[in-house]
């Protein structure tokens, strides 16, 4: 580095970091540490707490609802990886190719759902799924497929797919923008060279663009994983985990345990469980990626 | 070292992303409750409750309580009331957080199912001595309305309303069209009427069970009571041997599931809320619906005139071989005003009690009854001229009905959540009544063991 003269001193570095660090400690680190502490107690709210050691955690390990919710999270993650990152990538590739016209319009329209609050998206889709006056059933009835009109959000089996669709719809634009940023980092000479060598369309995308975008894609995958582990809003609004526990998610379950069953001790244990599992998943995916790099 | 840094980075970034859920349980709210008047100042009472200005004229309880609170403020300018109004679900969350951080306001509402927990944690103060100073007020309440708030001989709260959670509002015209001049008197007749209504393409009876409560508090509590009788549930509450796997309770679940299986309930019952359910009824899509007594005010103001004219009230009929009283409906007082146990200053306590008398006493009861509510305080002979025909009918029905215990006021929240979720699954067709009974029994046994 030649410009060491403008580099601030270590002490200044720390000073600049301090405000951000304080906020972070207060809003993130402290609650997690507190939750970890509470998870060792039987605590139903109020000043009375009974220390019960690891009992909450042994209960968590054999809690059917929690593991069902975790399964739902994993299913949602799988769909989101395909739907959000996958479709986002396809859209980005298309927008970068020469086939598409009105690129700015398409880009704006694709990104638009991402500007909406999750609550709004969930409400829109709840109305679309409505049995009597929802858009989906109205369309089906309009084209004479009356027997296909369903009370969509009441169907226990496909419910996870149904609640994931709005999530995908909302987030495609976000990943698309990230991918497009990744594209613009690829130097145009490389692409020109490929074209001169005869690579076009799909071939160019598969052999040149994608390998060069690997890091961007990995960031997207990572964001998608963490985003899914805290999935909450849209399911909370659309079904509140129902029917029964069919669309329950781990974060929703933690909320339910603490604020509906008023079991704060166990609720904290559930939250800590989520943190641990999320860390394991993220670490596992990093290991997989790094091994591939070697 | 590099990998350590990376790990740390991952941990930190995960931490940021997960704050939302992990921090949920600990995020404390520091608002009201910490403020207190210093010696020379006039008395200040902090009050947080679940009644909303926006619901005045929509809900009978809100209308009466808030009107009387205004009156109290006018009559007692020397007492400063710092009030916060919250919608009931938001109120539940906030009150629980305030309770967990021990920063509840001076006066607040507590629902029956929280009572035991709040008492055990010493959050609320017994008020039987304060009530004894004003026997006329105390004795004016209907019999049994203090039951849920009474623990070990101490009274912890003042009831507000006592109406049933189960009233069948039905379109008498539609029932007359299928040959029933009034609501069917036996279960089999009712099924027959439903079958005929269904054949005409009408939803026989609508349910809006999205948040999981209605199926339990408005429906099952009464259906089950028809089968088991009240003693069974009292035995459950006291932990005296009754079990959720008892054949009577399972029969009740089966009868309930039967209604859904035969298509007598709306198909989208688990995904619509109460408001949508009422709309089905108002639009003539449904021939009947079940809601609490408090819905009268809204039906009167929101239903189209031609529907309102033919709307009548009923309760579920008796079942053959059932042990329950066919006139009973799940009811009794559910929400109580409680006083924080840190309110020890006698002058302040007196002021709180005075305020509660305004908000729950005779005048409040008269207002509530006159707009179609069912107050816990018996207004005796009040001015019925202002009552709408529907309100009058509902009031008479409630006065006749013996209240049976509302499940979610008497059972622990963990049991209720299991039951609510299970009922949703049972009505959606993904769980058997026997399985549900076992699950509820399991969570009941867990609760008894923990207790």
């Amino acid at each position: 580095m030649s410009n060491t003269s403008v580099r601030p001193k270590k002490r200044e570095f720390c000073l600049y970091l301090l405000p951000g660090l304080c906020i972070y400690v207060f809003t993130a680190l402290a609650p997690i540490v507190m939750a970890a502490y509470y998870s060792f107690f039987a605590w139903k709210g109020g000043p009375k707490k009974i220390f019960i050691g690891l009992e909450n955690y042994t209960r968590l390990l054999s809690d059917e609802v929690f593991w069902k919710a975790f399964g739902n999270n994993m299913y949602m993650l799988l769909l989101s990886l395909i739907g959000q990152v996958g479709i986002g990538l396809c859209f980005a590739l298309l927008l970068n190719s020469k086939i598409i016209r009105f690129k700015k319009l398409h880009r704006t329209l694709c990104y638009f759902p991402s500007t909406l609050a999750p609550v709004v998206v969930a409400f829109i889709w709840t109305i679309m799924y409505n049995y009597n006056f929802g858009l989906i059933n109205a369309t089906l009835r309009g084209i004479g497929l009356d027997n296909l009109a369903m009370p969509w959000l009441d169907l226990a089996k496909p419910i996870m797919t149904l609640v994931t669709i709005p999530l995908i719809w909302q987030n495609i634009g976000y990943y698309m923008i990230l991918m497009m940023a990744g594209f613009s980092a690829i130097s145009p000479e490389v692409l020109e060279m490929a074209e001169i060598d005869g690579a076009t369309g799909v071939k160019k995308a598969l052999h040149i663009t994608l390998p060069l975008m690997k890091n961007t894609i990995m960031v997207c995958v990572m964001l998608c994983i963490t985003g899914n582990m805290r999935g909450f809003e849209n399911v909370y609004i659309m079904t509140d985990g129902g029917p029964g526990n069919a669309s329950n998610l781990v974060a929703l379950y933690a909320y339910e345990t603490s604020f509906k069953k008023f079991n704060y001790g166990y609720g904290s244990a559930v939250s800590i469980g989520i943190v641990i599992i999320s860390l394991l998943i993220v670490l596992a995916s990093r290991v997989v990626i790094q091994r591939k790099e070697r | 070292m590099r990998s350590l840094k990376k790990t740390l980075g991952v941990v930190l970034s995960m931490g940021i992303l997960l704050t939302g859920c992990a921090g949920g349980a600990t995020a404390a709210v520091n608002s009201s409750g910490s403020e207190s008047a210093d010696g020379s100042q006039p008395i200040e009472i902090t009050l947080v409750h679940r009644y909303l200005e926006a619901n005045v004229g929509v809900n009978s309880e809100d209308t009466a309580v808030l009107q009387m609170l205004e009156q109290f403020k006018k009559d007692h300018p020397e007492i400063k009331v710092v009030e916060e109004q919250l919608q009931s679900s938001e109120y539940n969350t906030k009150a629980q957080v305030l309770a967990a951080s021990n920063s509840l306001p001076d006066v607040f509402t507590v629902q029956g199912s929280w009572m035991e927990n709040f008492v055990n944690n010493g959050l609320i103060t017994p008020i039987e001595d304060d009530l004894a100073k004003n026997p006329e007020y105390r004795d004016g309440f209907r019999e049994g309305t203090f039951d849920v708030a009474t623990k070990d001989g101490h009274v912890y709260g003042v009831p507000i309303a006592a109406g049933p959670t189960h009233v069948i509002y039905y379109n008498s015209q539609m029932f007359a069209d299928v040959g029933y001049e009034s609501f069917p008197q036996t279960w089999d007749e009712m099924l027959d009427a439903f079958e005929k209504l269904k054949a005409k393409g009408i939803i026989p009876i609508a349910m809006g069970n999205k948040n999981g409560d209605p199926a339990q508090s408005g429906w099952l509590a009464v259906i089950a009571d028809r089968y088991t009788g009240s003693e069974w549930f009292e035995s459950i509450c006291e932990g005296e041997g009754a079990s959720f796997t008892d054949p009577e309770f399972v029969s009740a679940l089966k009868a309930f599931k039967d209604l859904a299986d035969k298509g007598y309930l709306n198909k989208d019952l688990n995904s619509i809320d109460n408001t949508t359910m009422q709309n089905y009824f108002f639009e003539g899509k449904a021939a009947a619906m079940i809601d609490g007594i408090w819905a009268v005010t809204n039906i009167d103001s929101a239903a189209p005139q031609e529907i309102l004219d033919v709307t009548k009230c009923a309760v579920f009929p008796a079942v053959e071989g059932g042990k329950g009283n066919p006139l009973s409906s799940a009811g009794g007082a559910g929400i109580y005003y409680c006083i924080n146990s840190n309110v020890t200053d006698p002058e302040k306590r007196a002021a709180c009690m005075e305020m509660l008398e305004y908000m729950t006493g005779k005048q409040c009861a008269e207002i509530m009854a006159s707009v179609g509510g069912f107050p816990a305080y018996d207004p005796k002979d009040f001015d019925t001229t202002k009552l709408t025909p529907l309100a009058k009918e509902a009031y008479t029905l409630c006065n006749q009905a013996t209240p049976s215990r509302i499940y979610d006021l008497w059972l622990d929240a963990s049991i209720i959540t299991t039951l609510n979720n299970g009922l949703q699954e049972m009505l959606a067709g993904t769980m058997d009544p026997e399985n549900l009974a076992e699950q509820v029994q399991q969570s009941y046994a867990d609760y008894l063991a923990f207790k």
Side-chain angles (χ1 to χ4, degrees), chain A residues 24 27 44-45 48 132 154 230 237 244 262 264 290, chain B residues 6 17 19 96 117 120-121 210 270-271 280 421 424:
Chain A
Y24 175 72
T27 59
K44 294 221 128 199
K48 261 192 198 170
N132 281 295
D154 284 57
R230 26 174 213 136
I237 304 266
F262 310 129
Y264 296 100
Q290 277 170 355
Chain B
K6 262 192 183 168
L17 295 168
T19 318
Q96 286 294 335
N117 192 16
N120 285 346
N121 276 296
K210 186 179 175 185
N270 276 330
S271 62
Y280 285 178
N421 285 342
Q424 278 198 337

PDB file of all heavy atoms in Angstrom, chain A residues 24 27 44-45 48 132 154 230 237 244 262 264 290, chain B residues 6 17 19 96 117 120-121 210 270-271 280 421 424:
ATOM      1  N   TYR A  24     -24.785  -3.213  17.945  1.00  0.00           N
ATOM      2  CA  TYR A  24     -24.820  -4.642  17.673  1.00  0.00           C
ATOM      3  C   TYR A  24     -24.890  -5.450  18.972  1.00  0.00           C
ATOM      4  O   TYR A  24     -25.695  -6.367  19.106  1.00  0.00           O
ATOM      5  CB  TYR A  24     -23.585  -5.033  16.868  1.00  0.00           C
ATOM      6  CG  TYR A  24     -23.484  -6.508  16.658  1.00  0.00           C
ATOM      7  CD1 TYR A  24     -24.347  -7.153  15.780  1.00  0.00           C
ATOM      8  CD2 TYR A  24     -22.565  -7.273  17.368  1.00  0.00           C
ATOM      9  CE1 TYR A  24     -24.294  -8.510  15.607  1.00  0.00           C
ATOM     10  CE2 TYR A  24     -22.501  -8.636  17.196  1.00  0.00           C
ATOM     11  CZ  TYR A  24     -23.369  -9.248  16.316  1.00  0.00           C
ATOM     12  OH  TYR A  24     -23.313 -10.597  16.160  1.00  0.00           O
ATOM     13  N   THR A  27     -28.431  -4.984  20.465  1.00  0.00           N
ATOM     14  CA  THR A  27     -29.591  -5.539  19.767  1.00  0.00           C
ATOM     15  C   THR A  27     -29.436  -6.999  19.386  1.00  0.00           C
ATOM     16  O   THR A  27     -30.436  -7.669  19.157  1.00  0.00           O
ATOM     17  CB  THR A  27     -29.896  -4.757  18.475  1.00  0.00           C
ATOM     18  OG1 THR A  27     -28.735  -4.822  17.646  1.00  0.00           O
ATOM     19  CG2 THR A  27     -30.253  -3.323  18.761  1.00  0.00           C
ATOM     20  N   LYS A  44     -42.367 -19.061  33.529  1.00  0.00           N
ATOM     21  CA  LYS A  44     -43.652 -18.807  32.882  1.00  0.00           C
ATOM     22  C   LYS A  44     -43.997 -17.327  32.908  1.00  0.00           C
ATOM     23  O   LYS A  44     -45.165 -16.960  32.900  1.00  0.00           O
ATOM     24  CB  LYS A  44     -44.745 -19.614  33.581  1.00  0.00           C
ATOM     25  CG  LYS A  44     -44.576 -21.112  33.418  1.00  0.00           C
ATOM     26  CD  LYS A  44     -45.902 -21.760  33.159  1.00  0.00           C
ATOM     27  CE  LYS A  44     -45.851 -22.639  31.928  1.00  0.00           C
ATOM     28  NZ  LYS A  44     -47.158 -22.934  31.373  1.00  0.00           N
ATOM     29  N   GLY A  45     -42.987 -16.472  32.971  1.00  0.00           N
ATOM     30  CA  GLY A  45     -43.263 -15.042  33.063  1.00  0.00           C
ATOM     31  C   GLY A  45     -43.308 -14.644  34.522  1.00  0.00           C
ATOM     32  O   GLY A  45     -43.542 -15.479  35.391  1.00  0.00           O
ATOM     33  N   LYS A  48     -40.709 -15.253  39.111  1.00  0.00           N
ATOM     34  CA  LYS A  48     -40.346 -16.599  39.556  1.00  0.00           C
ATOM     35  C   LYS A  48     -39.679 -17.415  38.463  1.00  0.00           C
ATOM     36  O   LYS A  48     -40.261 -17.663  37.421  1.00  0.00           O
ATOM     37  CB  LYS A  48     -41.603 -17.349  40.001  1.00  0.00           C
ATOM     38  CG  LYS A  48     -41.816 -17.370  41.489  1.00  0.00           C
ATOM     39  CD  LYS A  48     -42.897 -18.373  41.826  1.00  0.00           C
ATOM     40  CE  LYS A  48     -43.445 -18.103  43.217  1.00  0.00           C
ATOM     41  NZ  LYS A  48     -44.646 -18.902  43.486  1.00  0.00           N
ATOM     42  N   ASN A 132     -63.651 -18.027  -1.795  1.00  0.00           N
ATOM     43  CA  ASN A 132     -64.845 -17.484  -2.438  1.00  0.00           C
ATOM     44  C   ASN A 132     -64.573 -16.381  -3.440  1.00  0.00           C
ATOM     45  O   ASN A 132     -65.191 -16.334  -4.481  1.00  0.00           O
ATOM     46  CB  ASN A 132     -65.823 -16.974  -1.379  1.00  0.00           C
ATOM     47  CG  ASN A 132     -66.596 -18.105  -0.771  1.00  0.00           C
ATOM     48  OD1 ASN A 132     -67.364 -18.756  -1.454  1.00  0.00           O
ATOM     49  ND2 ASN A 132     -66.347 -18.380   0.504  1.00  0.00           N
ATOM     50  N   ASP A 154     -56.506 -24.015   3.340  1.00  0.00           N
ATOM     51  CA  ASP A 154     -57.023 -25.035   4.248  1.00  0.00           C
ATOM     52  C   ASP A 154     -56.479 -26.422   3.924  1.00  0.00           C
ATOM     53  O   ASP A 154     -56.750 -27.373   4.639  1.00  0.00           O
ATOM     54  CB  ASP A 154     -58.545 -25.096   4.185  1.00  0.00           C
ATOM     55  CG  ASP A 154     -59.181 -23.937   4.919  1.00  0.00           C
ATOM     56  OD1 ASP A 154     -58.864 -22.796   4.559  1.00  0.00           O
ATOM     57  OD2 ASP A 154     -59.970 -24.167   5.849  1.00  0.00           O
ATOM     58  N   ARG A 230     -35.029 -17.696   9.412  1.00  0.00           N
ATOM     59  CA  ARG A 230     -35.844 -16.783  10.216  1.00  0.00           C
ATOM     60  C   ARG A 230     -37.190 -16.502   9.555  1.00  0.00           C
ATOM     61  O   ARG A 230     -37.865 -15.559   9.904  1.00  0.00           O
ATOM     62  CB  ARG A 230     -35.132 -15.473  10.540  1.00  0.00           C
ATOM     63  CG  ARG A 230     -34.142 -15.087   9.616  1.00  0.00           C
ATOM     64  CD  ARG A 230     -33.492 -13.794   9.738  1.00  0.00           C
ATOM     65  NE  ARG A 230     -33.235 -13.441   8.354  1.00  0.00           N
ATOM     66  CZ  ARG A 230     -33.450 -12.254   7.846  1.00  0.00           C
ATOM     67  NH1 ARG A 230     -33.876 -11.292   8.586  1.00  0.00           N
ATOM     68  NH2 ARG A 230     -33.225 -12.034   6.592  1.00  0.00           N
ATOM     69  N   ILE A 237     -48.863 -14.447   8.922  1.00  0.00           N
ATOM     70  CA  ILE A 237     -50.054 -13.761   8.420  1.00  0.00           C
ATOM     71  C   ILE A 237     -50.974 -14.730   7.680  1.00  0.00           C
ATOM     72  O   ILE A 237     -52.187 -14.725   7.877  1.00  0.00           O
ATOM     73  CB  ILE A 237     -49.655 -12.626   7.452  1.00  0.00           C
ATOM     74  CG1 ILE A 237     -48.712 -11.669   8.141  1.00  0.00           C
ATOM     75  CG2 ILE A 237     -50.894 -11.940   6.884  1.00  0.00           C
ATOM     76  CD1 ILE A 237     -49.318 -10.502   8.773  1.00  0.00           C
ATOM     77  N   GLY A 244     -53.531 -26.645  12.035  1.00  0.00           N
ATOM     78  CA  GLY A 244     -52.777 -27.340  13.072  1.00  0.00           C
ATOM     79  C   GLY A 244     -51.342 -26.868  13.051  1.00  0.00           C
ATOM     80  O   GLY A 244     -51.084 -25.684  13.200  1.00  0.00           O
ATOM     81  N   PHE A 262     -46.828 -18.891  26.854  1.00  0.00           N
ATOM     82  CA  PHE A 262     -46.191 -18.192  27.978  1.00  0.00           C
ATOM     83  C   PHE A 262     -45.174 -19.067  28.671  1.00  0.00           C
ATOM     84  O   PHE A 262     -45.108 -19.144  29.888  1.00  0.00           O
ATOM     85  CB  PHE A 262     -47.238 -17.707  28.975  1.00  0.00           C
ATOM     86  CG  PHE A 262     -48.335 -16.967  28.304  1.00  0.00           C
ATOM     87  CD1 PHE A 262     -49.653 -17.272  28.529  1.00  0.00           C
ATOM     88  CD2 PHE A 262     -48.036 -15.966  27.391  1.00  0.00           C
ATOM     89  CE1 PHE A 262     -50.661 -16.600  27.868  1.00  0.00           C
ATOM     90  CE2 PHE A 262     -49.031 -15.292  26.726  1.00  0.00           C
ATOM     91  CZ  PHE A 262     -50.353 -15.602  26.964  1.00  0.00           C
ATOM     92  N   TYR A 264     -41.586 -19.014  28.671  1.00  0.00           N
ATOM     93  CA  TYR A 264     -40.418 -18.274  28.206  1.00  0.00           C
ATOM     94  C   TYR A 264     -39.139 -19.097  28.264  1.00  0.00           C
ATOM     95  O   TYR A 264     -38.280 -18.977  27.416  1.00  0.00           O
ATOM     96  CB  TYR A 264     -40.242 -16.984  29.010  1.00  0.00           C
ATOM     97  CG  TYR A 264     -41.380 -16.032  28.826  1.00  0.00           C
ATOM     98  CD1 TYR A 264     -42.385 -15.931  29.769  1.00  0.00           C
ATOM     99  CD2 TYR A 264     -41.458 -15.245  27.688  1.00  0.00           C
ATOM    100  CE1 TYR A 264     -43.444 -15.069  29.581  1.00  0.00           C
ATOM    101  CE2 TYR A 264     -42.513 -14.380  27.490  1.00  0.00           C
ATOM    102  CZ  TYR A 264     -43.508 -14.288  28.450  1.00  0.00           C
ATOM    103  OH  TYR A 264     -44.552 -13.444  28.258  1.00  0.00           O
ATOM    104  N   GLN A 290     -15.865 -24.839   0.224  1.00  0.00           N
ATOM    105  CA  GLN A 290     -14.414 -24.729   0.272  1.00  0.00           C
ATOM    106  C   GLN A 290     -13.740 -25.986  -0.250  1.00  0.00           C
ATOM    107  O   GLN A 290     -12.714 -25.926  -0.905  1.00  0.00           O
ATOM    108  CB  GLN A 290     -13.952 -24.430   1.694  1.00  0.00           C
ATOM    109  CG  GLN A 290     -14.057 -22.941   1.976  1.00  0.00           C
ATOM    110  CD  GLN A 290     -13.839 -22.598   3.418  1.00  0.00           C
ATOM    111  OE1 GLN A 290     -13.689 -23.482   4.245  1.00  0.00           O
ATOM    112  NE2 GLN A 290     -13.834 -21.322   3.717  1.00  0.00           N
TER     113      GLN A 290
ATOM    114  N   LYS B   6     -13.022 -16.534  10.265  1.00  0.00           N
ATOM    115  CA  LYS B   6     -14.175 -16.791   9.404  1.00  0.00           C
ATOM    116  C   LYS B   6     -15.359 -17.260  10.233  1.00  0.00           C
ATOM    117  O   LYS B   6     -16.475 -16.789  10.087  1.00  0.00           O
ATOM    118  CB  LYS B   6     -13.827 -17.861   8.374  1.00  0.00           C
ATOM    119  CG  LYS B   6     -13.450 -17.263   7.040  1.00  0.00           C
ATOM    120  CD  LYS B   6     -13.396 -18.339   5.998  1.00  0.00           C
ATOM    121  CE  LYS B   6     -12.943 -17.747   4.676  1.00  0.00           C
ATOM    122  NZ  LYS B   6     -12.618 -18.780   3.717  1.00  0.00           N
ATOM    123  N   LEU B  17     -28.700 -11.744  11.800  1.00  0.00           N
ATOM    124  CA  LEU B  17     -29.878 -12.189  11.067  1.00  0.00           C
ATOM    125  C   LEU B  17     -30.906 -12.830  11.980  1.00  0.00           C
ATOM    126  O   LEU B  17     -32.091 -12.797  11.720  1.00  0.00           O
ATOM    127  CB  LEU B  17     -29.458 -13.175   9.977  1.00  0.00           C
ATOM    128  CG  LEU B  17     -28.580 -12.537   8.899  1.00  0.00           C
ATOM    129  CD1 LEU B  17     -27.962 -13.596   8.029  1.00  0.00           C
ATOM    130  CD2 LEU B  17     -29.393 -11.565   8.057  1.00  0.00           C
ATOM    131  N   THR B  19     -31.428 -12.099  15.174  1.00  0.00           N
ATOM    132  CA  THR B  19     -31.843 -11.306  16.322  1.00  0.00           C
ATOM    133  C   THR B  19     -33.332 -11.336  16.498  1.00  0.00           C
ATOM    134  O   THR B  19     -33.858 -11.456  17.583  1.00  0.00           O
ATOM    135  CB  THR B  19     -31.439  -9.837  16.132  1.00  0.00           C
ATOM    136  OG1 THR B  19     -30.148  -9.825  15.607  1.00  0.00           O
ATOM    137  CG2 THR B  19     -31.488  -9.107  17.440  1.00  0.00           C
ATOM    138  N   GLN B  96     -47.888  -9.757  28.571  1.00  0.00           N
ATOM    139  CA  GLN B  96     -46.996 -10.844  28.946  1.00  0.00           C
ATOM    140  C   GLN B  96     -45.549 -10.369  29.072  1.00  0.00           C
ATOM    141  O   GLN B  96     -44.823 -10.798  29.963  1.00  0.00           O
ATOM    142  CB  GLN B  96     -47.082 -11.976  27.919  1.00  0.00           C
ATOM    143  CG  GLN B  96     -48.359 -12.786  28.021  1.00  0.00           C
ATOM    144  CD  GLN B  96     -48.449 -13.563  29.312  1.00  0.00           C
ATOM    145  OE1 GLN B  96     -47.442 -13.890  29.920  1.00  0.00           O
ATOM    146  NE2 GLN B  96     -49.661 -13.848  29.754  1.00  0.00           N
ATOM    147  N   ASN B 117     -51.137 -18.082  36.860  1.00  0.00           N
ATOM    148  CA  ASN B 117     -49.737 -17.709  36.662  1.00  0.00           C
ATOM    149  C   ASN B 117     -49.431 -16.348  37.297  1.00  0.00           C
ATOM    150  O   ASN B 117     -48.424 -16.176  37.984  1.00  0.00           O
ATOM    151  CB  ASN B 117     -49.461 -17.681  35.153  1.00  0.00           C
ATOM    152  CG  ASN B 117     -47.987 -17.601  34.839  1.00  0.00           C
ATOM    153  OD1 ASN B 117     -47.153 -17.856  35.701  1.00  0.00           O
ATOM    154  ND2 ASN B 117     -47.670 -17.233  33.623  1.00  0.00           N
ATOM    155  N   ASN B 120     -49.500 -16.746  41.102  1.00  0.00           N
ATOM    156  CA  ASN B 120     -48.318 -17.460  41.581  1.00  0.00           C
ATOM    157  C   ASN B 120     -47.067 -16.592  41.564  1.00  0.00           C
ATOM    158  O   ASN B 120     -46.175 -16.758  42.379  1.00  0.00           O
ATOM    159  CB  ASN B 120     -48.052 -18.694  40.704  1.00  0.00           C
ATOM    160  CG  ASN B 120     -49.029 -19.794  41.003  1.00  0.00           C
ATOM    161  OD1 ASN B 120     -49.727 -19.751  42.028  1.00  0.00           O
ATOM    162  ND2 ASN B 120     -49.123 -20.763  40.118  1.00  0.00           N
ATOM    163  N   ASN B 121     -46.995 -15.691  40.598  1.00  0.00           N
ATOM    164  CA  ASN B 121     -45.826 -14.828  40.488  1.00  0.00           C
ATOM    165  C   ASN B 121     -45.958 -13.563  41.325  1.00  0.00           C
ATOM    166  O   ASN B 121     -45.112 -12.679  41.255  1.00  0.00           O
ATOM    167  CB  ASN B 121     -45.581 -14.465  39.027  1.00  0.00           C
ATOM    168  CG  ASN B 121     -44.796 -15.550  38.317  1.00  0.00           C
ATOM    169  OD1 ASN B 121     -43.653 -15.815  38.665  1.00  0.00           O
ATOM    170  ND2 ASN B 121     -45.421 -16.194  37.362  1.00  0.00           N
ATOM    171  N   LYS B 210     -59.406 -19.085  11.737  1.00  0.00           N
ATOM    172  CA  LYS B 210     -58.004 -18.885  11.361  1.00  0.00           C
ATOM    173  C   LYS B 210     -57.091 -18.811  12.583  1.00  0.00           C
ATOM    174  O   LYS B 210     -56.025 -19.398  12.605  1.00  0.00           O
ATOM    175  CB  LYS B 210     -57.864 -17.619  10.539  1.00  0.00           C
ATOM    176  CG  LYS B 210     -56.464 -17.432  10.011  1.00  0.00           C
ATOM    177  CD  LYS B 210     -56.353 -16.198   9.179  1.00  0.00           C
ATOM    178  CE  LYS B 210     -54.917 -15.971   8.766  1.00  0.00           C
ATOM    179  NZ  LYS B 210     -54.770 -14.709   8.060  1.00  0.00           N
ATOM    180  N   ASN B 270     -60.579 -22.879   8.140  1.00  0.00           N
ATOM    181  CA  ASN B 270     -59.305 -22.659   8.833  1.00  0.00           C
ATOM    182  C   ASN B 270     -58.527 -21.471   8.297  1.00  0.00           C
ATOM    183  O   ASN B 270     -57.487 -21.116   8.839  1.00  0.00           O
ATOM    184  CB  ASN B 270     -58.430 -23.906   8.734  1.00  0.00           C
ATOM    185  CG  ASN B 270     -58.764 -24.917   9.805  1.00  0.00           C
ATOM    186  OD1 ASN B 270     -59.194 -24.536  10.902  1.00  0.00           O
ATOM    187  ND2 ASN B 270     -58.596 -26.177   9.501  1.00  0.00           N
ATOM    188  N   SER B 271     -58.975 -20.888   7.192  1.00  0.00           N
ATOM    189  CA  SER B 271     -58.188 -19.793   6.633  1.00  0.00           C
ATOM    190  C   SER B 271     -58.923 -18.458   6.669  1.00  0.00           C
ATOM    191  O   SER B 271     -58.382 -17.455   6.236  1.00  0.00           O
ATOM    192  CB  SER B 271     -57.738 -20.126   5.212  1.00  0.00           C
ATOM    193  OG  SER B 271     -58.847 -20.293   4.372  1.00  0.00           O
ATOM    194  N   TYR B 280     -69.957 -13.780   5.342  1.00  0.00           N
ATOM    195  CA  TYR B 280     -70.690 -14.873   4.695  1.00  0.00           C
ATOM    196  C   TYR B 280     -72.148 -14.849   5.143  1.00  0.00           C
ATOM    197  O   TYR B 280     -73.058 -15.064   4.364  1.00  0.00           O
ATOM    198  CB  TYR B 280     -70.074 -16.231   5.052  1.00  0.00           C
ATOM    199  CG  TYR B 280     -68.771 -16.547   4.355  1.00  0.00           C
ATOM    200  CD1 TYR B 280     -68.084 -17.719   4.624  1.00  0.00           C
ATOM    201  CD2 TYR B 280     -68.234 -15.680   3.410  1.00  0.00           C
ATOM    202  CE1 TYR B 280     -66.885 -18.021   3.987  1.00  0.00           C
ATOM    203  CE2 TYR B 280     -67.039 -15.965   2.773  1.00  0.00           C
ATOM    204  CZ  TYR B 280     -66.370 -17.126   3.076  1.00  0.00           C
ATOM    205  OH  TYR B 280     -65.183 -17.426   2.455  1.00  0.00           O
ATOM    206  N   ASN B 421     -54.652 -26.221  17.921  1.00  0.00           N
ATOM    207  CA  ASN B 421     -53.968 -26.727  16.734  1.00  0.00           C
ATOM    208  C   ASN B 421     -54.566 -28.047  16.278  1.00  0.00           C
ATOM    209  O   ASN B 421     -54.774 -28.269  15.093  1.00  0.00           O
ATOM    210  CB  ASN B 421     -52.471 -26.910  17.006  1.00  0.00           C
ATOM    211  CG  ASN B 421     -51.741 -25.593  17.029  1.00  0.00           C
ATOM    212  OD1 ASN B 421     -52.261 -24.588  16.531  1.00  0.00           O
ATOM    213  ND2 ASN B 421     -50.559 -25.573  17.596  1.00  0.00           N
ATOM    214  N   GLN B 424     -57.900 -27.679  14.525  1.00  0.00           N
ATOM    215  CA  GLN B 424     -57.713 -27.245  13.130  1.00  0.00           C
ATOM    216  C   GLN B 424     -57.399 -28.447  12.246  1.00  0.00           C
ATOM    217  O   GLN B 424     -57.967 -28.597  11.168  1.00  0.00           O
ATOM    218  CB  GLN B 424     -56.564 -26.241  13.035  1.00  0.00           C
ATOM    219  CG  GLN B 424     -56.976 -24.827  13.389  1.00  0.00           C
ATOM    220  CD  GLN B 424     -55.968 -23.808  12.871  1.00  0.00           C
ATOM    221  OE1 GLN B 424     -54.808 -24.129  12.628  1.00  0.00           O
ATOM    222  NE2 GLN B 424     -56.410 -22.576  12.709  1.00  0.00           N
TER     223      GLN B 424
END
